[in-house]
Amino acid sequence: MTSTLIIGATRGLGASLVKQYASDPSTTVYATARSSSTPSGFPNGVKWLSNIDLTKSDVGDRLASQLKGEKPLDVVIINAGRFTTEDFSAEKGPNWDEEVTMYTISSVAPVIIVHRLAHAGLLKSGSKIVLVSSEAGSITLRHEKEGGGNYAHHASKAALNMAGKLLSIDLKEKGVIVNIVHPGFMRTEMTKGVGFDKHWDAGGAVTPDVAAKSLVEWTAKLDISKSGEYWAPRGPRDIGMAETVLGKNLATPLKLPW
């Protein structure tokens, strides 16, 4: 039996990951929810960990305590995120509370979680940690054609990328793999909620199920050689500035620039 923990599991990509991993009877799936109740619409065998809120300072301890006594995990995918749009106008300029929330969920909580899991004996040599970032976190890929704005969305993902790189260094001797991914542009309530549904067709957006399938396949093949690296398993097809910045005939999967 193998074990997989999905953090941020109740909707979008996280929900699709839970269902795909749970479809394999040889995999024990742990999944987190912010609420105290068990979400509906999921396979019966999923082991839900409740009250896991990535905006709370005790998130790592709460997670480790609910997993106490379990064997070390084979796969940990940290998928939780938040996206609130902002620009430089007087009306929609940066909001302090929203910025803090985005940074906390995307780049602070993952470090705390990985640290607590490691010190609770829940990671082992060969464990795979996948940090779900975004091409939005690449400084290199930002371009005038795309414009500015959405400061915390981009910068919190860039901070996650840095955190992932540093975690990979700290966990290398333990044989733990830390990989950072852009899972793809998806047709989710999150992207729709910020008005990005108007870009779905032109931007090559896929359903969460399609993105999850690619990510599951990518994770299965991960080894220590890709620890501390930043990848787009689905390639450049949905990365708007990829060809503008990096040129044509790009590979799939695509190693992303920081």
Side-chain angles (χ1 to χ4, degrees):
M1 292 287 289
T2 60
S3 58
T4 297
L5 167 62
I6 309 297
I7 298 171
T10 56
R11 61 180 183 170
L13 177 63
S16 292
L17 287 168
V18 168
K19 292 171 183 176
Q20 291 199 33
Y21 275 110
S23 68
D24 181 353
S26 67
T27 300
T28 300
V29 179
Y30 302 93
T32 72
R34 281 183 298 170
S35 69
S36 58
S37 57
T38 300
S40 60
F42 290 89
N44 292 329
V46 176
K47 297 187 177 184
W48 286 97
L49 309 175
S50 59
N51 298 308
I52 303 300
D53 187 339
L54 275 72
T55 66
K56 305 298 184 183
S57 62
D58 67 348
V59 62
D61 294 326
R62 189 179 289 270
L63 187 58
S65 68
Q66 291 190 50
L67 289 166
K68 187 176 181 179
E70 300 291 348
K71 293 180 179 179
L73 300 157
D74 293 292
V75 174
V76 178
I77 301 179
I78 303 181
N79 169 66
R82 181 178 177 84
F83 186 2
T84 303
T85 58
E86 52 188 349
D87 58 31
F88 204 67
S89 68
E91 297 76 25
K92 289 191 64 180
N95 175 281
W96 181 276
D97 290 337
E98 285 294 340
E99 290 237 350
V100 170
T101 299
M102 283 187 272
Y103 277 101
T104 301
I105 293 173
S106 289
S107 54
V108 178
V111 176
I112 302 298
I113 288 169
V114 172
H115 177 268
R116 299 300 191 272
L117 291 178
H119 286 275
L122 290 163
L123 299 176
K124 62 183 179 181
S125 179
S127 290
K128 302 174 183 181
I129 299 170
V130 176
L131 303 177
V132 176
S133 182
S134 168
E135 61 87 12
S138 169
I139 295 174
T140 301
L141 288 173
R142 306 285 59 83
H143 194 277
E144 287 184 358
K145 287 184 178 179
E146 186 182 52
N150 294 328
Y151 309 104
H153 171 62
H154 288 286
S156 66
K157 294 300 186 183
L160 175 63
N161 295 348
M162 175 63 85
K165 179 66 177 182
L166 295 173
L167 286 169
S168 75
I169 294 170
D170 287 331
L171 291 168
K172 184 177 181 179
E173 286 189 3
K174 297 179 182 294
V176 175
I177 300 158
V178 181
N179 190 246
I180 307 142
V181 300
H182 164 66
F185 180 32
M186 286 174 280
R187 298 171 183 259
T188 62
E189 288 302 313
M190 179 181 287
T191 58
K192 184 177 181 179
V194 295
F196 281 18
D197 52 323
K198 63 186 178 185
H199 302 303
W200 281 353
D201 291 337
V206 297
T207 65
D209 285 347
V210 171
K213 183 176 184 295
S214 298
L215 187 52
V216 169
E217 292 171 352
W218 171 258
T219 303
K221 297 174 183 177
L222 274 180
D223 59 35
I224 199 72
S225 70
K226 287 187 173 59
S227 192
E229 295 184 348
Y230 177 31
W231 284 82
R234 294 183 53 77
R237 71 190 80 181
D238 64 353
I239 300 174
M241 293 294 106
E243 288 193 350
T244 300
V245 175
L246 303 176
K248 298 185 180 298
N249 302 314
L250 298 170
T252 298
L254 177 65
K255 186 177 180 181
L256 293 174
W258 299 110

